[in-house]
Amino acid sequence: GGREANQISDDYRYQDGNYEGYAPNDGYYRGGDEPAHEEDAQSDVTEGHDEDDEVYEGEYQGIPHPDDIKEKQKKRAPAVDDEYRDRADLMAERMEDEEQLAHQYENIIEECGHGRFQWTLFFVLGLALMADGVEVFVVGFVLPSAEKDMCLSSSNKGMVGLIVYLGMMVGAVILGGLADKLGRKKCLIISLSINAAFAFLSSFVQGYGFFLFCRLISGLGIGGSLPIVFAYFSEFLSREKRGEHLSWLCMFWMIGGIFASAMAWSIIPHYGWGFSMGTKYHFHSWRVFVLVCSLPCIASLVALKFMPESPRFLLEIGKHDEAWMILKQVHDTNMRAKGEPERVFTVSYIKTPKQIDEFIEIQSSTGTWYQRWLVRITTTFKQVWDNVLYCLTAQYRMNTLMLAVVWFTMALSYYGLIVWFPDMIRYLQEEAYESRVKIFDDEEVSYFTFNFTLENQIHRNGEYRNDK
């Protein structure tokens, strides 16, 4: 076989008398048609080849390293299709790939640098976080006016405050989980759209029930966007910048509170800013305030359209080329801003984890349209639920429980001070006021001048003649 191959090669070499088209595929350099010298062959013993078939100088290759032997044995081993392999083996292989990706991704982000791109994303995501903060503070400002408009009882007022946080809890689980399946940017846009649409709608509805429903769905969007914002931003930050800039991002939550406070102070007291349509529809100033508070959410939606998807997420789902293009965009944007446009992005290949097919797309001719969508939705939510259960496996159970306790205590102290304490103080004041009430029955008072307050007094069946 070797002699036949050499004969074919010789035939090719002598066509047209051209020697330049021939290049032997044995890894050695030969000038023209001169035979290779023995000393040249011996000197190449210290050369090796990497994955891109590039020659590099290395250590002596005569005695192979044990790891190299294992790699060659693994390559020579017969390949087994994924469908015949155990799922535990596939998951173990994926976990190993993810560890390699995490290490490589840190180096890539460091090469991309920190500059204009990260600061642009910082303000865009800060606007989204500010919009969420505004919507959380809205309820506390509108309750005093809304309770008169809608004739709310104490229990109804408590439900208006509760319903937003209930929606945030559900939204964080569902939309936060979907961000690992659909993408950070896509789920953040969905969350902000839900928040903006139903916050805007809640300013126009008149009935208590419909207003409660709008605030519930708005809470879904708020809870969904909060965890995604931090995950999205952290995947564009290197390790030494991550803690610092994520802490700075929290500043926009307080900016949202300041914005809501300023708008409430400047809009709600102006009762003439509303309008009425007959006796059924009233649009008072507090509704104008709710409308204005949805503007940051709309602005963040527009700005987010110009930002790319997280490259880390794209690598997780095997979209290597798209992730590489985004990372190159980040690198080039930062280098141009630093005055180094000639610097080249040196990354050519990024490790992508083993893909485990969990979702089987059904054909358009299978079943009805709602059956197809039902299969897609239930399969996706099953994957989200599996992710939640994955946090409770033996490897991560203790970390998950400890973080849950930390977040619970922080949220209880923070939101308790905002929501529960003012309501409790008001309740204690009302109890104290009612305990000091004075009741007067069957009194007759004539020609008397009252020069003191009659507040908190009840006069029943009395007669008052010519009193001042």
Side-chain angles (χ1 to χ4, degrees), residues 19-50:
Y19 293 86
E20 297 177 359
Y22 172 72
N25 193 22
D26 55 2
Y28 299 109
Y29 171 77
R30 294 180 174 86
D33 57 349
E34 297 178 2
H37 299 289
E38 187 66 20
E39 60 269 22
D40 292 334
Q42 292 176 352
S43 66
D44 285 331
V45 169
T46 60
E47 292 181 349
H49 294 77
D50 61 11

Side-chain angles (χ1 to χ4, degrees), residues 92-138:
E93 184 177 347
R94 178 176 174 84
M95 291 288 290
E96 184 179 351
D97 291 345
E98 286 179 350
E99 290 179 4
Q100 295 179 20
L101 171 61
H103 179 72
Q104 186 183 12
Y105 191 80
E106 285 292 335
N107 296 331
I108 294 171
I109 289 295
E110 288 180 5
E111 181 177 345
C112 291
H114 188 91
R116 177 178 294 175
F117 181 88
Q118 280 84 359
W119 284 112
T120 304
L121 185 64
F122 174 78
F123 286 105
V124 171
L125 296 180
L127 198 58
L129 194 61
M130 172 186 167
D132 292 337
V134 168
E135 291 300 327
V136 169
F137 285 101
V138 159

Side-chain angles (χ1 to χ4, degrees), residues 402-417:
M402 294 301 294
L403 286 172
V405 171
V406 169
W407 272 103
F408 177 80
T409 52
M410 287 174 59
L412 179 63
S413 58
Y414 177 73
Y415 292 111
L417 290 171

Side-chain angles (χ1 to χ4, degrees), residues 449-463:
T449 300
F450 291 92
N451 59 359
F452 50 88
T453 179
L454 299 180
E455 183 186 1
N456 207 12
Q457 296 183 12
I458 298 175
H459 296 257
R460 293 185 296 216
N461 302 322
E463 293 184 5

Side-chain angles (χ1 to χ4, degrees), residues 73 82 95 104 122 130 136 208 214 247 252 256 348 395 442:
Q73 290 175 348
D82 289 346
M95 291 288 290
Q104 186 183 12
F122 174 78
M130 172 186 167
V136 169
Y208 167 73
C214 289
S247 300
F252 284 93
S348 59
Q395 184 179 1
D442 303 321

